[in-house]
Amino acid sequence: MTSSFAPSAGRLAAPFDANFGAPAWLLGGNLQTIWPALFSKRFDGVPPAWTRERWTTPDGDFIDIDTSAGIGNIGSTVVLFHGLEGSSSSHYAQAFAAECAALGASLIVPHFRGCSGEINTGPRAYHSGDWEEIDWILRRIKAARPTQAVVAAGVSLGGNALMRWAGEMGESAKSVVSAVASISSPLDLAASGQAIGRGFNRLVYTRMFLNTMKPKALLKLKQHPKLFDVQRMLASRDLFEFDNAFTAPLHGFKDTTDYWARASAKPVLASIGISALCLNALNDPFVPASSLPTTAQVSKHVSLWHSKGGGHVGFASGSIPPGDVRALPRVVLPWMLAQI
C-alpha cells in the first residue's frame, strides 16, 4: 500500500521521518550528498570482508559478484545493485554489509559491467534501464538459494534498473524476490539528466562521473575498434552528450532522448506486483522532487517514502562530525525483511 515517508507508516524509526533533514552541522542537499560519501562512518572496526566470484554472462562477457556473509544465518539473502560508477567499496555498500552482518543476512553486490576494477570484454557496458541483466542476475542468485528468501535493493542507477525489472515482471517477480527497494533513484531519467547537467551539478557531479566513464570508454574502444565515435565521446561535457556518443549506441537506443525515455522506471511503476519501496530525499541535488512518482502513478504494492533531507544517497546522522551512514540500511533492511 502506498504511503508517505512518515512515522505513521509504522515501519520507520528515528531519524528517518518526513522531517529528516540531516544533522544541524550538515546543511543543504549538496553537502548532505558529498560529505557522507567521503567522511561519514560506514562500519565499526575493519571494513567488510568480501568474497569475489566471476560469472560468465549469457553473451560470453563477465561480471564480478561480491558477497559478504552475515554472522549467523537468518535464512535470507540481500542483493544490492550499486549506482553509477559504484561498487562494493561505495560508502552505502559498506554500510549495508555492516548491517547485514549484524542481522545475520548475506549481502551480495553484483558489479555492473566494468565496475569491479576490471573492464569487461564485450562490446557494451551498462546502463540505467538494464533490467534484462538484473533479471539474469537475480534468477541465478535465487536458483543457488532455492530455500532462502531473497530481497533486492538498488541505489541510484541500480534502483532505477531494479524497479524497471519489477515493473516488467509484474506479479511473476514473486518467484524470484520477496521485495525490492530503490534508494535515491532517478526514476525519471530525463528530469534527473537535465538537473545534473546544470550549474553546480555540472561542475562537480558531472565532472566526477565523466572522469571515470571516459577512460573506460577508451578502454572499450581498444577492445572493439570503431565501436563508437571517439571524438564525439571525448568532446562530451555532460551526461546527455556522453550518452549520445557512447551509452545509447552501444545498448540499442537511437539517442539519449530515446534511452532516457525507454530506460526510466517511472512509467512501469504501476505494473509492479510485489512489495516495493521508493525512498527519495526531497533535497536530492539531481533527482528533482517534482519528478518523483505520486501515489496515483504507482501500483498498490509500492510505498513512497520522501524525506525532507538526506541529499543523494547521503542520509548521514549524528550530532557531531563525521556522522554515520548506517541509518539508511537500518531503515531499509527491516522494511525489506518484513515483507518476507
Side-chain angles (χ1 to χ4, degrees):
M1 184 173 184
T2 56
S3 62
S4 62
F5 193 18
S8 60
R11 289 189 284 254
L12 297 173
F16 282 85
D17 59 40
N19 297 313
F20 176 72
W25 53 269
L26 201 55
L27 300 176
N30 286 309
L31 191 56
Q32 291 169 23
T33 298
I34 297 169
W35 179 277
L38 297 177
F39 305 116
S40 291
K41 190 173 184 179
R42 312 170 183 187
F43 49 80
D44 292 318
V46 298
W50 300 100
T51 300
R52 176 158 293 187
E53 183 179 359
R54 178 159 292 186
W55 291 358
T56 300
T57 62
D59 60 356
D61 203 348
F62 74 87
I63 60 170
D64 289 325
I65 309 292
D66 282 358
T67 300
S68 180
I71 301 170
N73 188 355
I74 62 172
S76 299
T77 295
V78 178
V79 184
L80 182 68
F81 292 99
H82 62 76
L84 183 64
E85 295 298 273
S87 71
S88 60
S89 296
S90 297
H91 65 289
Y92 51 81
Q94 292 185 326
F96 264 83
E99 291 309 303
C100 281
L103 290 172
S106 294
L107 177 68
I108 298 177
V109 178
H111 290 89
F112 291 120
R113 303 192 194 202
C115 290
S116 64
E118 183 177 343
I119 197 71
N120 62 304
T121 59
R124 55 156 295 176
Y126 68 103
H127 64 87
S128 299
D130 208 356
W131 66 268
E132 294 95 340
E133 189 99 313
I134 297 283
D135 185 62
W136 170 70
I137 291 170
L138 289 177
R139 290 183 188 278
R140 177 160 175 169
I141 290 172
K142 181 61 177 179
R145 298 161 177 78
T147 62
Q148 285 193 4
V150 176
V151 295
V155 173
S156 196
L157 173 149
N160 180 80
L162 177 62
M163 289 298 176
R164 182 79 205 185
W165 171 81
E168 294 287 346
M169 293 297 105
E171 292 188 2
S172 68
K174 294 177 182 178
S175 64
V176 186
V177 298
S178 299
V180 294
S182 66
I183 301 163
S184 298
S185 293
L187 303 171
D188 181 337
L189 292 172
S192 292
Q194 292 166 8
I196 201 172
R198 295 192 296 259
F200 179 87
N201 291 345
R202 182 186 180 98
L203 291 174
V204 177
Y205 305 116
T206 295
R207 182 175 296 178
M208 176 189 69
F209 287 133
L210 291 180
N211 281 345
T212 60
M213 293 164 69
K214 285 185 176 182
K216 286 183 180 180
L218 291 176
L219 290 175
K220 187 58 57 185
L221 196 65
K222 287 184 178 181
Q223 294 175 331
H224 304 277
K226 299 182 180 180
L227 185 62
F228 58 89
D229 185 337
V230 64
Q231 295 305 321
R232 190 181 181 197
M233 185 279 293
L234 290 174
S236 61
R237 292 295 178 264
D238 56 31
L239 295 185
F240 185 94
E241 293 176 355
F242 182 86
D243 285 344
N244 248 336
F246 181 81
T247 312
L250 262 64
H251 302 103
F253 300 101
K254 180 181 178 181
D255 53 24
T256 298
T257 300
D258 180 49
Y259 162 42
W260 287 356
R262 290 169 52 195
S264 292
K266 189 175 180 180
V268 302
L269 295 179
S271 300
I272 291 179
I274 58 172
S275 295
L277 168 66
C278 298
L279 167 60
N280 293 89
L282 297 178
N283 70 343
D284 189 317
F286 44 93
V287 179
S290 60
S291 73
L292 297 177
T294 66
T295 55
Q297 295 173 312
V298 303
S299 81
K300 64 181 181 180
H301 302 284
V302 180
S303 294
L304 304 175
W305 290 359
H306 298 159
S307 66
K308 179 180 178 181
H312 187 76
V313 205
F315 300 105
S317 63
S319 58
I320 58 174
D324 195 318
V325 295
R326 288 174 294 179
L328 178 61
R330 284 173 180 167
V331 69
V332 174
L333 286 171
W335 182 90
M336 290 198 297
L337 295 174
Q339 312 308 309
I340 296 173

Short mmCIF file of all heavy atoms in Angstrom, two decimals, residues 37-78:
data_model
loop_
_atom_site.label_atom_id
_atom_site.label_comp_id
_atom_site.label_asym_id
_atom_site.label_seq_id
_atom_site.Cartn_x
_atom_site.Cartn_y
_atom_site.Cartn_z
N ALA A 37 29.53 10.51 1.62
CA ALA A 37 30.25 9.61 0.72
C ALA A 37 31.75 9.59 1.01
O ALA A 37 32.41 8.57 0.78
CB ALA A 37 30.01 10.03 -0.73
N LEU A 38 32.26 10.71 1.53
CA LEU A 38 33.70 10.80 1.74
C LEU A 38 34.13 10.55 3.18
O LEU A 38 35.20 9.97 3.41
CB LEU A 38 34.19 12.20 1.32
CG LEU A 38 34.02 12.58 -0.15
CD1 LEU A 38 34.49 14.01 -0.37
CD2 LEU A 38 34.79 11.61 -1.04
N PHE A 39 33.34 10.96 4.15
CA PHE A 39 33.84 11.01 5.51
C PHE A 39 33.02 10.26 6.56
O PHE A 39 33.57 9.87 7.60
CB PHE A 39 33.96 12.48 5.96
CG PHE A 39 34.81 13.31 5.04
CD1 PHE A 39 34.26 14.37 4.34
CD2 PHE A 39 36.16 13.04 4.88
CE1 PHE A 39 35.03 15.15 3.49
CE2 PHE A 39 36.95 13.81 4.04
CZ PHE A 39 36.39 14.87 3.33
N SER A 40 31.73 10.09 6.37
CA SER A 40 30.89 9.54 7.44
C SER A 40 31.19 8.07 7.71
O SER A 40 31.63 7.33 6.83
CB SER A 40 29.41 9.71 7.10
OG SER A 40 29.04 11.07 7.15
N LYS A 41 30.89 7.64 8.92
CA LYS A 41 31.17 6.29 9.36
C LYS A 41 30.28 5.29 8.64
O LYS A 41 29.09 5.52 8.46
CB LYS A 41 30.94 6.19 10.88
CG LYS A 41 31.41 4.90 11.50
CD LYS A 41 31.28 4.97 13.02
CE LYS A 41 31.84 3.72 13.68
NZ LYS A 41 31.73 3.80 15.16
N ARG A 42 30.88 4.16 8.25
CA ARG A 42 30.16 3.14 7.49
C ARG A 42 30.07 1.81 8.25
O ARG A 42 29.18 1.01 7.99
CB ARG A 42 30.86 2.89 6.16
CG ARG A 42 31.22 4.15 5.40
CD ARG A 42 32.11 3.87 4.22
NE ARG A 42 32.51 5.10 3.55
CZ ARG A 42 33.18 5.14 2.42
NH1 ARG A 42 33.55 4.01 1.83
NH2 ARG A 42 33.51 6.29 1.87
N PHE A 43 31.03 1.58 9.14
CA PHE A 43 31.11 0.30 9.86
C PHE A 43 31.97 0.50 11.10
O PHE A 43 32.67 1.51 11.23
CB PHE A 43 31.71 -0.79 8.97
CG PHE A 43 32.99 -0.37 8.29
CD1 PHE A 43 34.21 -0.39 8.96
CD2 PHE A 43 32.98 0.08 6.98
CE1 PHE A 43 35.38 0.02 8.35
CE2 PHE A 43 34.15 0.49 6.35
CZ PHE A 43 35.36 0.47 7.04
N ASP A 44 31.91 -0.47 12.00
CA ASP A 44 32.78 -0.47 13.17
C ASP A 44 33.98 -1.38 12.90
O ASP A 44 33.83 -2.45 12.29
CB ASP A 44 32.03 -0.99 14.40
CG ASP A 44 30.95 -0.03 14.86
OD1 ASP A 44 31.21 1.19 14.87
OD2 ASP A 44 29.85 -0.49 15.22
N GLY A 45 35.15 -0.97 13.34
CA GLY A 45 36.32 -1.83 13.18
C GLY A 45 36.81 -1.92 11.76
O GLY A 45 36.89 -0.92 11.04
N VAL A 46 37.11 -3.14 11.33
CA VAL A 46 37.67 -3.36 9.99
C VAL A 46 36.57 -3.32 8.94
O VAL A 46 35.40 -3.58 9.23
CB VAL A 46 38.42 -4.71 9.93
CG1 VAL A 46 39.59 -4.73 10.90
CG2 VAL A 46 37.46 -5.87 10.21
N PRO A 47 36.92 -3.00 7.69
CA PRO A 47 35.92 -2.98 6.62
C PRO A 47 35.31 -4.35 6.39
O PRO A 47 35.91 -5.38 6.74
CB PRO A 47 36.74 -2.54 5.39
CG PRO A 47 37.96 -1.89 5.94
CD PRO A 47 38.26 -2.60 7.22
N PRO A 48 34.13 -4.40 5.81
CA PRO A 48 33.50 -5.70 5.50
C PRO A 48 34.40 -6.54 4.59
O PRO A 48 35.10 -6.02 3.72
CB PRO A 48 32.21 -5.30 4.77
CG PRO A 48 31.94 -3.90 5.23
CD PRO A 48 33.27 -3.27 5.43
N ALA A 49 34.41 -7.84 4.83
CA ALA A 49 35.20 -8.76 4.02
C ALA A 49 34.32 -9.31 2.89
O ALA A 49 33.19 -9.76 3.13
CB ALA A 49 35.72 -9.90 4.88
N TRP A 50 34.85 -9.26 1.67
CA TRP A 50 34.09 -9.72 0.51
C TRP A 50 34.72 -10.97 -0.09
O TRP A 50 35.93 -11.10 -0.14
CB TRP A 50 34.06 -8.63 -0.57
CG TRP A 50 33.42 -7.34 -0.15
CD1 TRP A 50 34.06 -6.21 0.25
CD2 TRP A 50 32.02 -7.05 -0.09
NE1 TRP A 50 33.15 -5.23 0.56
CE2 TRP A 50 31.88 -5.70 0.35
CE3 TRP A 50 30.87 -7.79 -0.37
CZ2 TRP A 50 30.65 -5.09 0.52
CZ3 TRP A 50 29.64 -7.16 -0.20
CH2 TRP A 50 29.54 -5.84 0.24
N THR A 51 33.88 -11.85 -0.55
CA THR A 51 34.32 -12.99 -1.35
C THR A 51 33.88 -12.74 -2.78
O THR A 51 32.70 -12.52 -3.04
CB THR A 51 33.69 -14.30 -0.84
OG1 THR A 51 34.08 -14.51 0.52
CG2 THR A 51 34.15 -15.48 -1.70
N ARG A 52 34.82 -12.78 -3.72
CA ARG A 52 34.51 -12.44 -5.12
C ARG A 52 34.36 -13.70 -5.98
O ARG A 52 35.12 -14.65 -5.85
CB ARG A 52 35.57 -11.53 -5.72
CG ARG A 52 35.37 -11.23 -7.20
CD ARG A 52 36.07 -9.95 -7.62
NE ARG A 52 35.45 -8.77 -7.00
CZ ARG A 52 35.79 -7.51 -7.29
NH1 ARG A 52 36.74 -7.27 -8.19
NH2 ARG A 52 35.17 -6.51 -6.70
N GLU A 53 33.36 -13.65 -6.82
CA GLU A 53 33.11 -14.72 -7.77
C GLU A 53 32.87 -14.09 -9.14
O GLU A 53 32.19 -13.08 -9.26
CB GLU A 53 31.88 -15.53 -7.35
CG GLU A 53 31.57 -16.73 -8.22
CD GLU A 53 30.34 -17.50 -7.74
OE1 GLU A 53 29.75 -17.09 -6.71
OE2 GLU A 53 29.98 -18.50 -8.39
N ARG A 54 33.42 -14.70 -10.18
CA ARG A 54 33.23 -14.19 -11.54
C ARG A 54 32.22 -15.06 -12.27
O ARG A 54 32.36 -16.29 -12.31
CB ARG A 54 34.56 -14.16 -12.30
CG ARG A 54 34.44 -13.68 -13.74
CD ARG A 54 35.75 -13.18 -14.28
NE ARG A 54 36.16 -11.94 -13.61
CZ ARG A 54 37.23 -11.21 -13.96
NH1 ARG A 54 38.00 -11.61 -14.97
NH2 ARG A 54 37.52 -10.11 -13.31
N TRP A 55 31.21 -14.41 -12.84
CA TRP A 55 30.19 -15.13 -13.60
C TRP A 55 30.34 -14.81 -15.08
O TRP A 55 30.55 -13.65 -15.46
CB TRP A 55 28.80 -14.69 -13.16
CG TRP A 55 28.40 -15.11 -11.78
CD1 TRP A 55 29.11 -15.86 -10.88
CD2 TRP A 55 27.17 -14.79 -11.12
NE1 TRP A 55 28.42 -16.03 -9.72
CE2 TRP A 55 27.21 -15.38 -9.84
CE3 TRP A 55 26.04 -14.07 -11.49
CZ2 TRP A 55 26.16 -15.27 -8.94
CZ3 TRP A 55 25.00 -13.94 -10.60
CH2 TRP A 55 25.05 -14.55 -9.33
N THR A 56 30.19 -15.83 -15.90
CA THR A 56 30.15 -15.63 -17.34
C THR A 56 28.72 -15.30 -17.74
O THR A 56 27.78 -16.00 -17.37
CB THR A 56 30.60 -16.90 -18.09
OG1 THR A 56 31.95 -17.20 -17.70
CG2 THR A 56 30.55 -16.68 -19.59
N THR A 57 28.55 -14.21 -18.46
CA THR A 57 27.22 -13.77 -18.85
C THR A 57 26.70 -14.57 -20.05
O THR A 57 27.49 -15.22 -20.75
CB THR A 57 27.24 -12.27 -19.23
OG1 THR A 57 28.12 -12.10 -20.36
CG2 THR A 57 27.75 -11.43 -18.07
N PRO A 58 25.41 -14.54 -20.30
CA PRO A 58 24.85 -15.30 -21.43
C PRO A 58 25.46 -14.93 -22.78
O PRO A 58 25.48 -15.75 -23.69
CB PRO A 58 23.36 -14.95 -21.38
CG PRO A 58 23.09 -14.65 -19.93
CD PRO A 58 24.33 -13.96 -19.45
N ASP A 59 25.99 -13.70 -22.90
CA ASP A 59 26.60 -13.29 -24.16
C ASP A 59 28.11 -13.46 -24.19
O ASP A 59 28.79 -12.94 -25.07
CB ASP A 59 26.22 -11.84 -24.50
CG ASP A 59 26.69 -10.85 -23.44
OD1 ASP A 59 27.23 -11.29 -22.41
OD2 ASP A 59 26.51 -9.63 -23.64
N GLY A 60 28.66 -14.20 -23.22
CA GLY A 60 30.08 -14.52 -23.22
C GLY A 60 30.97 -13.50 -22.55
O GLY A 60 32.20 -13.64 -22.58
N ASP A 61 30.41 -12.48 -21.93
CA ASP A 61 31.17 -11.48 -21.19
C ASP A 61 31.30 -11.97 -19.74
O ASP A 61 31.07 -13.14 -19.45
CB ASP A 61 30.43 -10.14 -21.28
CG ASP A 61 31.33 -8.93 -21.05
OD1 ASP A 61 32.48 -9.12 -20.60
OD2 ASP A 61 30.88 -7.80 -21.31
N PHE A 62 31.63 -11.06 -18.82
CA PHE A 62 31.68 -11.46 -17.41
C PHE A 62 31.25 -10.31 -16.52
O PHE A 62 31.32 -9.14 -16.90
CB PHE A 62 33.10 -11.91 -17.02
CG PHE A 62 34.09 -10.79 -16.87
CD1 PHE A 62 34.23 -10.10 -15.66
CD2 PHE A 62 34.87 -10.39 -17.94
CE1 PHE A 62 35.13 -9.06 -15.53
CE2 PHE A 62 35.78 -9.34 -17.82
CZ PHE A 62 35.91 -8.67 -16.61
N ILE A 63 30.79 -10.66 -15.32
CA ILE A 63 30.58 -9.69 -14.24
C ILE A 63 31.17 -10.29 -12.97
O ILE A 63 31.30 -11.51 -12.85
CB ILE A 63 29.10 -9.34 -14.02
CG1 ILE A 63 28.29 -10.60 -13.63
CG2 ILE A 63 28.50 -8.67 -15.23
CD1 ILE A 63 26.88 -10.27 -13.17
N ASP A 64 31.55 -9.43 -12.04
CA ASP A 64 32.09 -9.88 -10.76
C ASP A 64 31.06 -9.65 -9.66
O ASP A 64 30.44 -8.59 -9.58
CB ASP A 64 33.38 -9.14 -10.43
CG ASP A 64 34.54 -9.57 -11.33
OD1 ASP A 64 34.58 -10.76 -11.68
OD2 ASP A 64 35.38 -8.73 -11.67
N ILE A 65 30.91 -10.66 -8.82
CA ILE A 65 29.93 -10.67 -7.74
C ILE A 65 30.67 -10.71 -6.41
O ILE A 65 31.49 -11.59 -6.18
CB ILE A 65 29.00 -11.90 -7.83
CG1 ILE A 65 28.40 -12.03 -9.23
CG2 ILE A 65 27.93 -11.85 -6.76
CD1 ILE A 65 27.43 -10.95 -9.60
N ASP A 66 30.40 -9.76 -5.52
CA ASP A 66 30.99 -9.75 -4.19
C ASP A 66 29.94 -10.14 -3.16
O ASP A 66 28.81 -9.63 -3.19
CB ASP A 66 31.55 -8.37 -3.85
CG ASP A 66 32.90 -8.11 -4.51
OD1 ASP A 66 33.41 -9.02 -5.20
OD2 ASP A 66 33.43 -7.00 -4.33
N THR A 67 30.32 -11.03 -2.25
CA THR A 67 29.41 -11.49 -1.20
C THR A 67 30.04 -11.27 0.16
O THR A 67 31.22 -11.59 0.38
CB THR A 67 29.08 -12.99 -1.36
OG1 THR A 67 28.47 -13.21 -2.63
CG2 THR A 67 28.13 -13.46 -0.26
N SER A 68 29.27 -10.71 1.08
CA SER A 68 29.68 -10.54 2.46
C SER A 68 28.73 -11.35 3.33
O SER A 68 27.53 -11.09 3.35
CB SER A 68 29.63 -9.06 2.86
OG SER A 68 30.03 -8.89 4.20
N ALA A 69 29.27 -12.36 4.01
CA ALA A 69 28.43 -13.28 4.78
C ALA A 69 28.06 -12.67 6.12
O ALA A 69 28.85 -11.95 6.74
CB ALA A 69 29.16 -14.60 4.99
N GLY A 70 26.86 -12.97 6.57
CA GLY A 70 26.39 -12.50 7.86
C GLY A 70 26.92 -13.35 8.99
O GLY A 70 27.40 -14.47 8.79
N ILE A 71 26.89 -12.80 10.19
CA ILE A 71 27.27 -13.54 11.39
C ILE A 71 26.03 -14.30 11.85
O ILE A 71 25.07 -13.72 12.32
CB ILE A 71 27.76 -12.59 12.49
CG1 ILE A 71 28.96 -11.78 11.99
CG2 ILE A 71 28.15 -13.38 13.74
CD1 ILE A 71 29.35 -10.65 12.93
N GLY A 72 26.06 -15.62 11.68
CA GLY A 72 24.85 -16.39 11.88
C GLY A 72 24.09 -16.44 10.58
O GLY A 72 24.60 -16.08 9.53
N ASN A 73 22.85 -16.88 10.62
CA ASN A 73 22.09 -17.01 9.37
C ASN A 73 20.61 -16.89 9.67
O ASN A 73 20.05 -17.71 10.39
CB ASN A 73 22.39 -18.36 8.73
CG ASN A 73 21.78 -18.48 7.34
OD1 ASN A 73 21.07 -17.59 6.89
ND2 ASN A 73 22.06 -19.57 6.66
N ILE A 74 19.98 -15.87 9.12
CA ILE A 74 18.54 -15.73 9.29
C ILE A 74 17.80 -16.31 8.08
O ILE A 74 16.60 -16.14 7.95
CB ILE A 74 18.15 -14.26 9.50
CG1 ILE A 74 18.51 -13.40 8.27
CG2 ILE A 74 18.78 -13.70 10.75
CD1 ILE A 74 17.98 -11.99 8.35
N GLY A 75 18.56 -16.98 7.22
CA GLY A 75 17.94 -17.63 6.07
C GLY A 75 17.51 -16.68 4.98
O GLY A 75 16.62 -16.99 4.20
N SER A 76 18.13 -15.50 4.91
CA SER A 76 17.77 -14.52 3.89
C SER A 76 19.01 -13.98 3.20
O SER A 76 20.08 -13.90 3.78
CB SER A 76 17.00 -13.35 4.51
OG SER A 76 15.80 -13.79 5.11
N THR A 77 18.83 -13.61 1.94
CA THR A 77 19.90 -13.00 1.16
C THR A 77 19.45 -11.64 0.67
O THR A 77 18.34 -11.50 0.15
CB THR A 77 20.28 -13.89 -0.05
OG1 THR A 77 20.83 -15.13 0.42
CG2 THR A 77 21.29 -13.19 -0.94
N VAL A 78 20.30 -10.66 0.85
CA VAL A 78 20.03 -9.30 0.38
C VAL A 78 20.93 -9.03 -0.82
O VAL A 78 22.15 -9.26 -0.76
CB VAL A 78 20.30 -8.26 1.48
CG1 VAL A 78 20.04 -6.85 0.95
CG2 VAL A 78 19.44 -8.55 2.71
#
